[in-house]
mmCIF file of all heavy atoms in Angstrom:
data_model
loop_
_atom_site.group_PDB
_atom_site.id
_atom_site.type_symbol
_atom_site.label_atom_id
_atom_site.label_comp_id
_atom_site.label_asym_id
_atom_site.label_seq_id
_atom_site.Cartn_x
_atom_site.Cartn_y
_atom_site.Cartn_z
ATOM 1 N N LYS Z 181 58.415 -0.768 -24.545
ATOM 2 C CA LYS Z 181 57.557 -1.456 -25.519
ATOM 3 C C LYS Z 181 56.309 -2.050 -24.869
ATOM 4 O O LYS Z 181 55.297 -2.234 -25.518
ATOM 5 C CB LYS Z 181 58.360 -2.556 -26.228
ATOM 6 C CG LYS Z 181 59.388 -1.983 -27.206
ATOM 7 C CD LYS Z 181 59.714 -2.938 -28.323
ATOM 8 C CE LYS Z 181 60.790 -3.906 -27.915
ATOM 9 N NZ LYS Z 181 61.362 -4.642 -29.044
ATOM 10 N N ASP Z 182 56.418 -2.348 -23.578
ATOM 11 C CA ASP Z 182 55.285 -2.983 -22.899
ATOM 12 C C ASP Z 182 54.389 -1.985 -22.157
ATOM 13 O O ASP Z 182 53.372 -2.365 -21.585
ATOM 14 C CB ASP Z 182 55.805 -4.001 -21.868
ATOM 15 C CG ASP Z 182 56.723 -5.007 -22.523
ATOM 16 O OD1 ASP Z 182 56.461 -5.358 -23.695
ATOM 17 O OD2 ASP Z 182 57.706 -5.430 -21.874
ATOM 18 N N ILE Z 183 54.798 -0.747 -22.142
ATOM 19 C CA ILE Z 183 54.091 0.217 -21.297
ATOM 20 C C ILE Z 183 52.646 0.418 -21.730
ATOM 21 O O ILE Z 183 51.742 0.462 -20.888
ATOM 22 C CB ILE Z 183 54.858 1.562 -21.252
ATOM 23 C CG1 ILE Z 183 56.191 1.410 -20.529
ATOM 24 C CG2 ILE Z 183 54.000 2.652 -20.598
ATOM 25 C CD1 ILE Z 183 56.093 1.074 -19.051
ATOM 26 N N GLU Z 184 52.417 0.530 -23.015
ATOM 27 C CA GLU Z 184 51.054 0.824 -23.469
ATOM 28 C C GLU Z 184 50.079 -0.232 -22.948
ATOM 29 O O GLU Z 184 49.019 0.097 -22.398
ATOM 30 C CB GLU Z 184 50.996 0.922 -24.991
ATOM 31 C CG GLU Z 184 49.616 1.347 -25.467
ATOM 32 C CD GLU Z 184 49.574 1.814 -26.918
ATOM 33 O OE1 GLU Z 184 50.583 2.376 -27.400
ATOM 34 O OE2 GLU Z 184 48.538 1.615 -27.555
ATOM 35 N N THR Z 185 50.451 -1.488 -23.092
ATOM 36 C CA THR Z 185 49.602 -2.582 -22.616
ATOM 37 C C THR Z 185 49.410 -2.505 -21.107
ATOM 38 O O THR Z 185 48.297 -2.594 -20.586
ATOM 39 C CB THR Z 185 50.254 -3.934 -22.980
ATOM 40 O OG1 THR Z 185 50.606 -3.891 -24.352
ATOM 41 C CG2 THR Z 185 49.315 -5.083 -22.712
ATOM 42 N N LYS Z 186 50.526 -2.291 -20.414
ATOM 43 C CA LYS Z 186 50.459 -2.244 -18.944
ATOM 44 C C LYS Z 186 49.615 -1.080 -18.471
ATOM 45 O O LYS Z 186 48.839 -1.201 -17.525
ATOM 46 C CB LYS Z 186 51.871 -2.118 -18.361
ATOM 47 C CG LYS Z 186 52.669 -3.408 -18.380
ATOM 48 C CD LYS Z 186 53.995 -3.193 -17.660
ATOM 49 C CE LYS Z 186 54.846 -4.439 -17.686
ATOM 50 N NZ LYS Z 186 56.193 -4.200 -17.190
ATOM 51 N N LEU Z 187 49.806 0.052 -19.133
ATOM 52 C CA LEU Z 187 49.103 1.245 -18.678
ATOM 53 C C LEU Z 187 47.603 1.120 -18.947
ATOM 54 O O LEU Z 187 46.781 1.552 -18.139
ATOM 55 C CB LEU Z 187 49.682 2.497 -19.359
ATOM 56 C CG LEU Z 187 49.279 3.821 -18.729
ATOM 57 C CD1 LEU Z 187 49.695 3.904 -17.268
ATOM 58 C CD2 LEU Z 187 49.901 4.989 -19.497
ATOM 59 N N LYS Z 188 47.259 0.498 -20.074
ATOM 60 C CA LYS Z 188 45.835 0.280 -20.359
ATOM 61 C C LYS Z 188 45.211 -0.583 -19.270
ATOM 62 O O LYS Z 188 44.066 -0.352 -18.858
ATOM 63 C CB LYS Z 188 45.659 -0.354 -21.732
ATOM 64 C CG LYS Z 188 45.780 0.665 -22.859
ATOM 65 C CD LYS Z 188 45.646 0.046 -24.235
ATOM 66 C CE LYS Z 188 45.678 1.139 -25.301
ATOM 67 N NZ LYS Z 188 45.833 0.586 -26.642
ATOM 68 N N ALA Z 189 45.968 -1.544 -18.795
ATOM 69 C CA ALA Z 189 45.466 -2.404 -17.718
ATOM 70 C C ALA Z 189 45.266 -1.584 -16.445
ATOM 71 O O ALA Z 189 44.264 -1.727 -15.742
ATOM 72 C CB ALA Z 189 46.442 -3.553 -17.477
ATOM 73 N N VAL Z 190 46.230 -0.696 -16.167
ATOM 74 C CA VAL Z 190 46.106 0.157 -14.976
ATOM 75 C C VAL Z 190 44.867 1.036 -15.096
ATOM 76 O O VAL Z 190 44.076 1.153 -14.159
ATOM 77 C CB VAL Z 190 47.377 1.036 -14.808
ATOM 78 C CG1 VAL Z 190 47.152 2.102 -13.746
ATOM 79 C CG2 VAL Z 190 48.583 0.181 -14.464
ATOM 80 N N VAL Z 191 44.681 1.627 -16.256
ATOM 81 C CA VAL Z 191 43.543 2.512 -16.486
ATOM 82 C C VAL Z 191 42.239 1.733 -16.330
ATOM 83 O O VAL Z 191 41.269 2.211 -15.743
ATOM 84 C CB VAL Z 191 43.624 3.164 -17.888
ATOM 85 C CG1 VAL Z 191 42.340 3.908 -18.229
ATOM 86 C CG2 VAL Z 191 44.825 4.098 -17.961
ATOM 87 N N ASN Z 192 42.255 0.529 -16.842
ATOM 88 C CA ASN Z 192 41.072 -0.320 -16.772
ATOM 89 C C ASN Z 192 40.706 -0.671 -15.330
ATOM 90 O O ASN Z 192 39.539 -0.725 -14.971
ATOM 91 C CB ASN Z 192 41.347 -1.585 -17.579
ATOM 92 C CG ASN Z 192 40.062 -2.174 -18.105
ATOM 93 O OD1 ASN Z 192 39.166 -1.435 -18.506
ATOM 94 N ND2 ASN Z 192 39.958 -3.487 -18.051
ATOM 95 N N ASP Z 193 41.721 -0.885 -14.536
ATOM 96 C CA ASP Z 193 41.492 -1.291 -13.147
ATOM 97 C C ASP Z 193 41.184 -0.119 -12.229
ATOM 98 O O ASP Z 193 40.701 -0.299 -11.117
ATOM 99 C CB ASP Z 193 42.731 -2.020 -12.584
ATOM 100 C CG ASP Z 193 42.991 -3.315 -13.316
ATOM 101 O OD1 ASP Z 193 42.072 -3.771 -14.025
ATOM 102 O OD2 ASP Z 193 44.105 -3.850 -13.207
ATOM 103 N N ASN Z 194 41.544 1.079 -12.628
ATOM 104 C CA ASN Z 194 41.418 2.237 -11.733
ATOM 105 C C ASN Z 194 40.730 3.384 -12.452
ATOM 106 O O ASN Z 194 41.347 4.377 -12.789
ATOM 107 C CB ASN Z 194 42.801 2.706 -11.275
ATOM 108 C CG ASN Z 194 43.587 1.618 -10.606
ATOM 109 O OD1 ASN Z 194 43.426 1.365 -9.437
ATOM 110 N ND2 ASN Z 194 44.439 0.937 -11.374
ATOM 111 N N LYS Z 195 39.482 3.227 -12.712
ATOM 112 C CA LYS Z 195 38.760 4.263 -13.474
ATOM 113 C C LYS Z 195 38.781 5.609 -12.739
ATOM 114 O O LYS Z 195 38.650 5.668 -11.524
ATOM 115 C CB LYS Z 195 37.307 3.806 -13.681
ATOM 116 C CG LYS Z 195 37.172 2.623 -14.639
ATOM 117 C CD LYS Z 195 36.905 3.116 -16.033
ATOM 118 C CE LYS Z 195 36.730 2.060 -17.112
ATOM 119 N NZ LYS Z 195 37.187 0.735 -16.960
ATOM 120 N N ILE Z 196 38.950 6.648 -13.528
ATOM 121 C CA ILE Z 196 38.856 7.998 -12.960
ATOM 122 C C ILE Z 196 37.387 8.308 -12.702
ATOM 123 O O ILE Z 196 36.540 8.074 -13.563
ATOM 124 C CB ILE Z 196 39.430 9.037 -13.956
ATOM 125 C CG1 ILE Z 196 40.889 8.738 -14.286
ATOM 126 C CG2 ILE Z 196 39.198 10.466 -13.478
ATOM 127 C CD1 ILE Z 196 41.899 9.337 -13.368
ATOM 128 N N ASP Z 197 37.104 8.825 -11.534
ATOM 129 C CA ASP Z 197 35.735 9.174 -11.187
ATOM 130 C C ASP Z 197 35.340 10.442 -11.941
ATOM 131 O O ASP Z 197 35.918 11.505 -11.742
ATOM 132 C CB ASP Z 197 35.652 9.401 -9.671
ATOM 133 C CG ASP Z 197 34.235 9.711 -9.228
ATOM 134 O OD1 ASP Z 197 33.315 9.663 -10.074
ATOM 135 O OD2 ASP Z 197 34.062 9.986 -8.024
ATOM 136 N N GLU Z 198 34.358 10.307 -12.810
ATOM 137 C CA GLU Z 198 33.974 11.456 -13.636
ATOM 138 C C GLU Z 198 32.970 12.376 -12.939
ATOM 139 O O GLU Z 198 32.674 13.451 -13.429
ATOM 140 C CB GLU Z 198 33.389 10.981 -14.969
ATOM 141 C CG GLU Z 198 34.432 10.395 -15.927
ATOM 142 C CD GLU Z 198 35.306 11.464 -16.591
ATOM 143 O OE1 GLU Z 198 34.782 12.507 -17.010
ATOM 144 O OE2 GLU Z 198 36.530 11.251 -16.672
ATOM 145 N N THR Z 199 32.468 11.944 -11.815
ATOM 146 C CA THR Z 199 31.511 12.820 -11.136
ATOM 147 C C THR Z 199 32.252 13.981 -10.485
ATOM 148 O O THR Z 199 33.432 13.882 -10.164
ATOM 149 C CB THR Z 199 30.732 12.068 -10.037
ATOM 150 O OG1 THR Z 199 31.678 11.576 -9.089
ATOM 151 C CG2 THR Z 199 29.936 10.927 -10.611
ATOM 152 N N VAL Z 200 31.522 15.074 -10.343
ATOM 153 C CA VAL Z 200 32.154 16.267 -9.772
ATOM 154 C C VAL Z 200 31.493 16.587 -8.433
ATOM 155 O O VAL Z 200 30.277 16.590 -8.321
ATOM 156 C CB VAL Z 200 32.008 17.470 -10.720
ATOM 157 C CG1 VAL Z 200 32.651 18.706 -10.116
ATOM 158 C CG2 VAL Z 200 32.645 17.143 -12.063
ATOM 159 N N ASP Z 201 32.348 16.838 -7.460
ATOM 160 C CA ASP Z 201 31.858 17.191 -6.137
ATOM 161 C C ASP Z 201 31.963 18.712 -6.005
ATOM 162 O O ASP Z 201 33.052 19.271 -6.079
ATOM 163 C CB ASP Z 201 32.762 16.485 -5.106
ATOM 164 C CG ASP Z 201 32.349 16.810 -3.693
ATOM 165 O OD1 ASP Z 201 31.372 17.565 -3.518
ATOM 166 O OD2 ASP Z 201 33.005 16.310 -2.774
ATOM 167 N N PHE Z 202 30.848 19.367 -5.852
ATOM 168 C CA PHE Z 202 30.877 20.835 -5.799
ATOM 169 C C PHE Z 202 30.958 21.371 -4.374
ATOM 170 O O PHE Z 202 30.555 22.491 -4.097
ATOM 171 C CB PHE Z 202 29.634 21.403 -6.508
ATOM 172 C CG PHE Z 202 29.607 21.106 -7.984
ATOM 173 C CD1 PHE Z 202 28.796 20.099 -8.486
ATOM 174 C CD2 PHE Z 202 30.406 21.817 -8.863
ATOM 175 C CE1 PHE Z 202 28.766 19.820 -9.847
ATOM 176 C CE2 PHE Z 202 30.380 21.535 -10.221
ATOM 177 C CZ PHE Z 202 29.564 20.538 -10.717
#
Side-chain angles (χ1 to χ4, degrees):
Chain Z
K181 288 206 275 194
D182 305 325
I183 293 294
E184 185 165 329
T185 311
K186 284 185 182 171
L187 194 59
K188 281 178 176 168
V190 169
V191 171
N192 207 38
D193 296 345
N194 304 277
K195 291 266 181 341
I196 301 272
D197 182 5
E198 288 285 318
T199 60
V200 179
D201 179 0
F202 295 102

